[in-house]
Amino acid sequence: MSGATGTQNSGRPAQGGFEETVKDFWASRPRRPQHGRKIAGVAAAVGNRYGIDPVVIRVALVAATMFGGVGLLFYILGWLFFADERDEVAPMESLIGRGRSCTSNALTVVLCVALFPAASWVFSGGGWFNGGGFIGLALLVAAIYLLHRSRGHLNRPVARGVGDASSASWADGSASFTAASVSNPVAGTDTTAPAWDPLGAAPLAWDLPDPQPDPFTPPPATPRPPAPRGPRSKIGPITFAIALVVAGVGSVLVVEGEPWFTPQHVVGLVLGVIGIGMVAGSFARGGRGLIGLAIPLSVIGLLLTSAPVDDFRGGVGELTGAPRTVAELRPVYERGLGNIELDLRNLPDSGAVSTSVRTGAGNSSVIVPDTADVTFTCENSIGNIECLGLERSGLGNEPVSSTDNGTDGPGGLNITLHVQTTTGNVEVRRG
């Protein structure tokens, strides 16, 4: 693998077992090119090695990063173990003294350190797709294995041609021997120039170049005619239709309140469908238009990661409630988009009740009796919190929890309250 500068095709896919395939992948692993790279050239290396558009590889790595961070982990590993096309060995091999690499040892050490948080993100269940790190890692390893099984014979790196040092030394030695033989002849040898030699030089001292054949100039190569354009691939439209169906069904399940389905998961599923379509399109020469759909969806998924919206469910619009009995009090008051106003002042003066108020985007306001004992927890990711004298404001607010026994001290109606809003204002007050 060291010193590869060109590529060759072996003519047929590898037919060995799992161990042989893994060994062959390592021996002919991709090399990071100088041209066409964006950062370190890992995506371009994989694309060039297996004859796939590097844009498809980049989108797949972004999607894999969204699914628990495995794309970032793979990129760092590729940076460390894929040699630059100008180098003898990969940066990691250069760090342990096995050859030369243009990547500095300091940067290699930084990349090694970066592996720990990246691996922790993958294997600790981080990211917005719970368990996505393990799923993404399994899919990525399977994709690379199948790619090498089917296309590993393409664009295989070949060893750099290196001159034979022994032959060069022999040639130099021969030249010096000839010169020495002329300058220091063997004793007893007559080296006197004959009188008939018009040049006045001994024949043994002549050093004429060997005759060289006329250089052969190959005829110019005949340009190949352009390949006929095949029929348009149907992978793009089929993948788009499947993605629409997945998005529609997922959105309905989010509105219906299914526990697992959230906007983040729906976006992730749609990205997964598009990614599968792009991989299939890379083999069938189609599906390039899916890139324009995958990029904005990846951005949306990233935004949803920064501002979780797990509670964007429960319908849209204003919701008000003023229960008069414990039976009328709902266990949950919920809106995906809109405001909720809950008045608990008409409840009986004794007993214990519990309820939750959740809003995706909007304001949540709860009014409790002056004498009620209230145990509350107020949460708000973006906005203001004002709960019985405790206040928070800004981004990423910490939850507020406390117990307030009202103006008459402990006793009477006991209310357990949980108010949660993703974006908006949360208020709990007495009236």
Side-chain angles (χ1 to χ4, degrees), residues 232-245 273-274 277-278 281 285-290 293:
R232 187 174 181 179
S233 174
K234 297 182 180 180
I235 290 180
I238 293 175
T239 303
F240 182 73
I242 297 175
L244 283 181
V245 173
V273 172
I274 295 175
M278 293 177 65
R285 300 182 181 274
R288 290 181 62 90
L290 297 173
L293 182 61

Side-chain angles (χ1 to χ4, degrees), residues 61-137:
L61 290 179
V62 171
T65 301
M66 305 293 292
F67 278 81
V70 68
L72 178 61
L73 179 63
F74 175 81
Y75 200 92
I76 297 175
L77 289 174
W79 198 338
L80 286 172
F81 291 99
F82 291 171
D84 191 285
E85 64 180 2
R86 303 167 298 175
D87 296 340
E88 298 175 353
V89 296
M92 194 65 185
E93 295 172 305
S94 176
L95 184 64
I96 60 178
R98 297 186 60 183
R100 181 190 61 83
S101 173
C102 63
T103 303
S104 65
N105 289 341
L107 178 56
T108 303
V109 172
V110 171
L111 292 174
C112 291
V113 173
L115 279 176
F116 291 96
S120 176
W121 183 18
V122 172
F123 297 111
S124 64
W128 54 271
F129 192 91
N130 294 333
F134 293 95
I135 298 175
L137 181 62

Side-chain angles (χ1 to χ4, degrees), residues 276-364:
I276 294 173
M278 293 177 65
V279 172
S282 66
F283 292 98
R285 300 182 181 274
R288 290 181 62 90
L290 297 173
I291 298 174
L293 182 61
I295 293 176
L297 280 176
S298 300
V299 174
I300 292 173
L302 184 61
L303 294 176
L304 292 178
T305 305
S306 303
V309 287
D310 293 340
D311 299 307
F312 273 77
R313 61 184 69 187
V316 177
E318 304 293 326
L319 176 61
T320 60
R324 296 180 175 274
T325 64
V326 175
E328 293 179 2
L329 181 66
R330 300 181 189 176
V332 178
Y333 293 83
E334 192 172 36
R335 274 292 179 265
L337 179 64
N339 300 326
I340 298 178
E341 295 184 4
L342 180 60
D343 189 349
L344 303 179
R345 291 176 294 180
N346 297 323
L347 291 174
D349 295 334
S350 61
V353 295
S354 176
T355 188
S356 297
V357 178
R358 293 197 293 260
T359 306
N363 301 324
S364 298

